[in-house]
Amino acid sequence: AKLIIKDIDIRHTFTSEELDVVDISWDITYEAEVERHNCYLDISYNYSSVARVDCAEGGMALPNPVLWWPLGMGHTPGLMYDIIITIEDLETLVTDQYSLPYGFRKVYWDADTLKINNEPFYMHGIARHEDSIIRGKGFDQATLMRDHHLMMWMGANSFRTSHYPYAEETLQLADRHGIVVISECAAVSLDGFNDQLLENHKNALTELYFRDRNHPSVVMWSVANEPRSFRPEAGPYFESVMEHLRSLDTSRPLTLILYDHDLDVTDYAIQYADIVGVNKYMGWYSDPGHLEAVGKQLITSLRLWRETLNKPIMITEYGADTVAGLHSLPSLMFTEEFQAEFLTKYWEVFDELRAEGWFIGEMPWVFSDFMTKQEIRRVAGNRKGLFTRDRQPKMAAHLVRGRYQAMMADATINHDEL
């Protein structure tokens, strides 16, 4: 007789501001060809049983839950429960069983902030690509671990799955180590906002949601990267896209990643997002080489976005192509000195705006060099990586490490429990 667990959807909400009781609800879909069967959940923490509940109960309250925390917030990161779902044939004792690691955390956002477990969360992270020198875009466990260790070495507390859903193993690792993930739909440079595209986009978001919904590391959804949303028809299109995703999930904020056109804030889509992601390349694609102009332009532009939208803002890309081993003093474009100076100019602005509260994160472009099509603006691929394509650091990686590790040390020192 057939016994198959088909789908597991687990949700949770906190019933008090103190986060001392969590209400867990579930929807378990399974197929059982026998009448006499059981379906139950075992919830355990650190190999100790916490509760056993019948699937039909649909939910329970768990007092004093151990919380899932991001890395670098002064708490032990990535603590998770194991929720084991079992269906059992009472005649033959044949079972089907699925074990789901699950973390309890509260995500909160408003016009001014992003909080995790009631504490402000600042993303000092990185944008990535699934690309490596031997396997290309193919999944490789050794590369996954190398990349993960390099992120930990840098002190990154977050990343965006630019520009498509990443392998589930990547998210599982993020869950366990308290790395916050912005999970992004494969929608890059969208244009021609028609009904067929809208239907495809909604389907892709549905698939993304159903795959990634049970990961505590996934704290935010990104619906698209750099759409041509300066076109008026992008307005109703993205209103419909966001409405669709919110019909599936109201527990996470939604973002849309914009390509920034300097001081032009004409955009018809971003008003429907909760959090604004902006990609900035002042000093590279605009005013190339003129790092002396970056500070004033960047702060003016970001303040303009803030005044226009009154939403939290993060920089989801900023960077400069850099050929490893190429040096110049004074710095010139494509040298390691230029990349280091470029990042430093941006940080001066980030630090000023972070103090105002509404600026909530920074992610350089990009973790490592990656291959692209051949074109005159690419030197055998995109060279904006902090690491080379074979995962060795450029000068900038050491600078980012110094910045991020200091941020984590501050968060730990300032924590009221210590």
Side-chain angles (χ1 to χ4, degrees):
K2 192 185 283 184
L3 285 172
I4 302 174
I5 299 167
K6 293 281 189 93
D7 188 53
I8 302 165
D9 185 11
I10 297 181
R11 303 181 184 223
H12 68 276
T13 54
F14 290 92
T15 53
S16 70
E17 272 303 300
E18 290 73 39
L19 311 183
D20 53 7
V21 178
V22 65
D23 270 347
I24 312 166
S25 61
W26 55 79
D27 188 6
I28 312 296
T29 308
Y30 64 90
E31 191 178 321
E33 288 182 351
V34 291
E35 280 188 36
R36 297 190 64 236
H37 67 270
N38 275 343
C39 175
Y40 53 87
L41 285 83
D42 286 301
I43 301 176
S44 64
Y45 176 73
N46 204 18
Y47 304 106
S48 296
S49 178
V50 174
R52 172 174 281 197
V53 197
D54 195 283
C55 292
E57 294 286 321
M60 65 168 285
L62 180 67
N64 303 312
V66 175
L67 299 179
W68 184 93
W69 282 95
L71 184 70
M73 289 185 76
H75 301 266
T76 304
L79 296 178
M80 298 171 77
Y81 288 75
D82 285 303
I83 300 178
I84 300 170
I85 296 95
T86 306
I87 49 174
E88 180 180 38
D89 182 338
L90 294 177
E91 306 269 330
T92 64
L93 302 183
V94 169
T95 63
D96 188 24
Q97 194 173 70
Y98 192 91
S99 179
L100 180 74
Y102 194 83
F104 298 110
R105 83 285 182 273
K106 181 183 179 183
V107 182
Y108 171 83
W109 66 96
D110 58 22
D112 300 306
T113 189
L114 172 68
K115 291 183 177 180
I116 297 178
N117 299 336
N118 295 338
E119 293 189 15
F121 181 69
Y122 184 80
M123 279 178 274
H124 44 87
I126 193 79
R128 298 172 69 177
H129 257 306
E130 286 188 322
D131 171 90
S132 62
I133 201 158
I134 302 298
R135 292 193 189 258
K137 296 194 72 62
F139 177 69
D140 183 79
Q141 286 183 321
T143 301
L144 173 70
M145 292 312 300
R146 172 67 172 170
D147 289 357
H148 180 74
H149 287 302
L150 288 176
M151 285 208 309
M152 301 291 276
W153 174 83
M154 272 199 301
N157 66 0
S158 51
F159 67 88
R160 173 167 64 116
T161 69
S162 38
H163 300 297
Y164 37 80
Y166 285 8
E168 288 183 87
E169 291 88 343
T170 308
L171 299 184
Q172 289 161 356
L173 207 52
D175 289 340
R176 290 285 180 200
H177 293 265
I179 308 284
V180 163
V181 178
I182 301 172
S183 189
E184 186 162 282
C185 179
V188 181
S189 307
L190 292 191
D191 204 349
F193 300 101
N194 59 44
D195 291 344
Q196 187 182 354
L197 183 66
L198 179 59
E199 208 51 42
N200 286 347
H201 201 162
K202 286 180 179 178
N203 288 340
L205 284 168
T206 301
E207 290 172 1
L208 179 65
Y209 166 73
F210 276 101
R211 196 197 73 162
D212 292 354
R213 62 192 159 169
N214 292 322
H215 288 283
S217 60
V218 176
V219 163
M220 197 183 307
W221 303 112
S222 169
V223 301
N225 179 73
E226 298 184 352
R228 305 298 183 249
S229 45
F230 51 82
R231 304 195 199 286
E233 57 269 29
Y237 178 94
F238 277 101
E239 183 180 19
S240 183
V241 163
M242 306 271 189
E243 199 177 276
H244 172 72
L245 189 48
R246 286 193 183 102
S247 75
L248 298 171
D249 188 11
T250 55
S251 70
R252 296 172 173 93
L254 311 186
T255 189
L256 172 69
I257 312 301
L258 301 175
Y259 182 78
D260 179 61
H261 298 276
D262 295 338
L263 299 180
D264 182 358
V265 291
T266 305
D267 191 276
Y268 294 90
I270 194 63
Q271 60 186 308
Y272 302 110
D274 300 303
I275 289 172
V276 182
V278 186
N279 297 343
K280 285 280 191 189
Y281 289 98
M282 290 165 169
W284 188 257
Y285 291 126
S286 64
D287 290 327
H290 288 282
L291 296 183
E292 74 283 355
V294 165
K296 190 173 181 182
Q297 288 180 343
L298 184 61
I299 205 159
T300 304
S301 170
L302 288 171
R303 285 221 164 97
L304 193 55
W305 278 114
R306 172 64 181 174
E307 287 160 18
T308 306
L309 296 167
N310 197 37
K311 297 175 189 283
I313 296 174
M314 57 189 174
I315 291 290
T316 38
E317 293 182 23
Y318 67 107
D321 280 87
T322 305
V323 178
L326 191 60
H327 294 280
S328 168
L329 198 65
S331 67
L332 295 172
M333 291 175 73
F334 294 98
T335 65
E336 292 197 37
E337 284 78 8
F338 185 88
Q339 185 184 33
E341 199 178 327
F342 180 99
L343 296 177
T344 305
K345 292 290 186 188
Y346 277 72
W347 295 344
E348 290 168 6
V349 173
F350 297 166
D351 290 342
E352 185 173 339
L353 296 182
R354 184 186 175 189
E356 296 176 17
W358 53 267
F359 185 76
I360 63 161
E362 57 190 79
M363 293 185 176
W365 185 264
V366 56
F367 175 76
S368 61
D369 295 346
F370 62 94
M371 192 44 64
T372 62
K373 65 180 180 181
Q374 296 188 71
E375 50 183 321
I376 54 169
R377 65 190 186 133
R378 303 290 186 217
V379 186
N382 190 309
R383 298 276 179 163
K384 293 186 183 70
L386 302 179
F387 298 90
T388 60
R389 200 174 180 216
D390 60 355
R391 302 330 197 243
Q392 298 304 327
K394 301 176 191 175
M395 186 193 300
H398 294 277
L399 280 185
V400 172
R401 169 178 157 83
R403 177 173 175 80
Y404 285 4
Q405 291 286 0
M407 284 178 170
M408 287 213 291
D410 284 350
T412 304
I413 290 164
N414 292 336
H415 196 267
D416 55 10
E417 284 182 13
L418 300 178

PDB file of all heavy atoms in Angstrom, residues 187-199:
ATOM      1  N   ALA A 187      14.437  36.765 -12.898  1.00  0.00           N
ATOM      2  CA  ALA A 187      13.788  37.787 -13.729  1.00  0.00           C
ATOM      3  C   ALA A 187      14.756  38.964 -13.865  1.00  0.00           C
ATOM      4  O   ALA A 187      14.774  39.853 -13.025  1.00  0.00           O
ATOM      5  CB  ALA A 187      12.477  38.224 -13.085  1.00  0.00           C
ATOM      6  N   VAL A 188      15.539  38.933 -14.919  1.00  0.00           N
ATOM      7  CA  VAL A 188      16.593  39.934 -15.100  1.00  0.00           C
ATOM      8  C   VAL A 188      16.272  40.836 -16.289  1.00  0.00           C
ATOM      9  O   VAL A 188      15.899  40.351 -17.359  1.00  0.00           O
ATOM     10  CB  VAL A 188      17.964  39.244 -15.334  1.00  0.00           C
ATOM     11  CG1 VAL A 188      19.063  40.289 -15.492  1.00  0.00           C
ATOM     12  CG2 VAL A 188      18.288  38.312 -14.188  1.00  0.00           C
ATOM     13  N   SER A 189      16.407  42.139 -16.083  1.00  0.00           N
ATOM     14  CA  SER A 189      16.265  43.135 -17.164  1.00  0.00           C
ATOM     15  C   SER A 189      14.940  42.999 -17.909  1.00  0.00           C
ATOM     16  O   SER A 189      14.895  43.103 -19.136  1.00  0.00           O
ATOM     17  CB  SER A 189      17.436  43.024 -18.154  1.00  0.00           C
ATOM     18  OG  SER A 189      18.663  43.103 -17.478  1.00  0.00           O
ATOM     19  N   LEU A 190      13.866  42.761 -17.178  1.00  0.00           N
ATOM     20  CA  LEU A 190      12.565  42.552 -17.826  1.00  0.00           C
ATOM     21  C   LEU A 190      12.128  43.781 -18.597  1.00  0.00           C
ATOM     22  O   LEU A 190      12.311  44.912 -18.166  1.00  0.00           O
ATOM     23  CB  LEU A 190      11.485  42.217 -16.791  1.00  0.00           C
ATOM     24  CG  LEU A 190      11.557  40.879 -16.060  1.00  0.00           C
ATOM     25  CD1 LEU A 190      10.264  40.642 -15.297  1.00  0.00           C
ATOM     26  CD2 LEU A 190      11.824  39.731 -17.012  1.00  0.00           C
ATOM     27  N   ASP A 191      11.504  43.525 -19.742  1.00  0.00           N
ATOM     28  CA  ASP A 191      10.953  44.584 -20.589  1.00  0.00           C
ATOM     29  C   ASP A 191       9.764  43.983 -21.333  1.00  0.00           C
ATOM     30  O   ASP A 191       9.578  42.764 -21.340  1.00  0.00           O
ATOM     31  CB  ASP A 191      12.024  45.074 -21.570  1.00  0.00           C
ATOM     32  CG  ASP A 191      11.759  46.502 -22.046  1.00  0.00           C
ATOM     33  OD1 ASP A 191      10.659  47.022 -21.789  1.00  0.00           O
ATOM     34  OD2 ASP A 191      12.661  47.086 -22.675  1.00  0.00           O
ATOM     35  N   GLY A 192       8.952  44.835 -21.945  1.00  0.00           N
ATOM     36  CA  GLY A 192       7.802  44.309 -22.686  1.00  0.00           C
ATOM     37  C   GLY A 192       6.831  43.631 -21.736  1.00  0.00           C
ATOM     38  O   GLY A 192       6.608  42.421 -21.778  1.00  0.00           O
ATOM     39  N   PHE A 193       6.262  44.414 -20.821  1.00  0.00           N
ATOM     40  CA  PHE A 193       5.483  43.865 -19.709  1.00  0.00           C
ATOM     41  C   PHE A 193       4.092  43.416 -20.173  1.00  0.00           C
ATOM     42  O   PHE A 193       3.103  44.120 -19.979  1.00  0.00           O
ATOM     43  CB  PHE A 193       5.383  44.916 -18.605  1.00  0.00           C
ATOM     44  CG  PHE A 193       6.727  45.338 -18.082  1.00  0.00           C
ATOM     45  CD1 PHE A 193       7.328  46.538 -18.496  1.00  0.00           C
ATOM     46  CD2 PHE A 193       7.421  44.535 -17.191  1.00  0.00           C
ATOM     47  CE1 PHE A 193       8.569  46.909 -18.006  1.00  0.00           C
ATOM     48  CE2 PHE A 193       8.672  44.904 -16.704  1.00  0.00           C
ATOM     49  CZ  PHE A 193       9.243  46.091 -17.117  1.00  0.00           C
ATOM     50  N   ASN A 194       4.036  42.224 -20.776  1.00  0.00           N
ATOM     51  CA  ASN A 194       2.753  41.739 -21.298  1.00  0.00           C
ATOM     52  C   ASN A 194       2.156  40.642 -20.417  1.00  0.00           C
ATOM     53  O   ASN A 194       2.771  40.192 -19.449  1.00  0.00           O
ATOM     54  CB  ASN A 194       2.911  41.244 -22.744  1.00  0.00           C
ATOM     55  CG  ASN A 194       3.939  40.119 -22.848  1.00  0.00           C
ATOM     56  OD1 ASN A 194       3.960  39.198 -22.031  1.00  0.00           O
ATOM     57  ND2 ASN A 194       4.802  40.205 -23.858  1.00  0.00           N
ATOM     58  N   ASP A 195       0.968  40.201 -20.756  1.00  0.00           N
ATOM     59  CA  ASP A 195       0.231  39.227 -19.934  1.00  0.00           C
ATOM     60  C   ASP A 195       0.936  37.880 -19.855  1.00  0.00           C
ATOM     61  O   ASP A 195       0.923  37.228 -18.810  1.00  0.00           O
ATOM     62  CB  ASP A 195      -1.195  39.031 -20.486  1.00  0.00           C
ATOM     63  CG  ASP A 195      -2.048  40.270 -20.288  1.00  0.00           C
ATOM     64  OD1 ASP A 195      -1.638  41.131 -19.481  1.00  0.00           O
ATOM     65  OD2 ASP A 195      -3.108  40.396 -20.927  1.00  0.00           O
ATOM     66  N   GLN A 196       1.539  37.463 -20.955  1.00  0.00           N
ATOM     67  CA  GLN A 196       2.227  36.162 -20.953  1.00  0.00           C
ATOM     68  C   GLN A 196       3.437  36.188 -20.017  1.00  0.00           C
ATOM     69  O   GLN A 196       3.675  35.261 -19.248  1.00  0.00           O
ATOM     70  CB  GLN A 196       2.662  35.789 -22.375  1.00  0.00           C
ATOM     71  CG  GLN A 196       3.217  34.377 -22.463  1.00  0.00           C
ATOM     72  CD  GLN A 196       3.690  34.022 -23.874  1.00  0.00           C
ATOM     73  OE1 GLN A 196       3.502  34.787 -24.814  1.00  0.00           O
ATOM     74  NE2 GLN A 196       4.309  32.869 -24.009  1.00  0.00           N
ATOM     75  N   LEU A 197       4.190  37.282 -20.072  1.00  0.00           N
ATOM     76  CA  LEU A 197       5.334  37.445 -19.177  1.00  0.00           C
ATOM     77  C   LEU A 197       4.865  37.462 -17.723  1.00  0.00           C
ATOM     78  O   LEU A 197       5.474  36.829 -16.847  1.00  0.00           O
ATOM     79  CB  LEU A 197       6.090  38.737 -19.506  1.00  0.00           C
ATOM     80  CG  LEU A 197       7.362  39.004 -18.690  1.00  0.00           C
ATOM     81  CD1 LEU A 197       8.436  37.963 -18.984  1.00  0.00           C
ATOM     82  CD2 LEU A 197       7.896  40.397 -18.952  1.00  0.00           C
ATOM     83  N   LEU A 198       3.773  38.167 -17.473  1.00  0.00           N
ATOM     84  CA  LEU A 198       3.229  38.257 -16.114  1.00  0.00           C
ATOM     85  C   LEU A 198       2.862  36.875 -15.579  1.00  0.00           C
ATOM     86  O   LEU A 198       3.163  36.542 -14.432  1.00  0.00           O
ATOM     87  CB  LEU A 198       2.011  39.178 -16.104  1.00  0.00           C
ATOM     88  CG  LEU A 198       1.304  39.363 -14.763  1.00  0.00           C
ATOM     89  CD1 LEU A 198       2.238  39.942 -13.709  1.00  0.00           C
ATOM     90  CD2 LEU A 198       0.075  40.267 -14.926  1.00  0.00           C
ATOM     91  N   GLU A 199       2.241  36.067 -16.425  1.00  0.00           N
ATOM     92  CA  GLU A 199       1.847  34.716 -16.011  1.00  0.00           C
ATOM     93  C   GLU A 199       3.079  33.863 -15.694  1.00  0.00           C
ATOM     94  O   GLU A 199       3.130  33.164 -14.679  1.00  0.00           O
ATOM     95  CB  GLU A 199       1.013  34.067 -17.128  1.00  0.00           C
ATOM     96  CG  GLU A 199       0.011  33.028 -16.649  1.00  0.00           C
ATOM     97  CD  GLU A 199      -0.879  33.532 -15.513  1.00  0.00           C
ATOM     98  OE1 GLU A 199      -1.339  34.689 -15.554  1.00  0.00           O
ATOM     99  OE2 GLU A 199      -1.083  32.748 -14.558  1.00  0.00           O
TER     100      GLU A 199
END
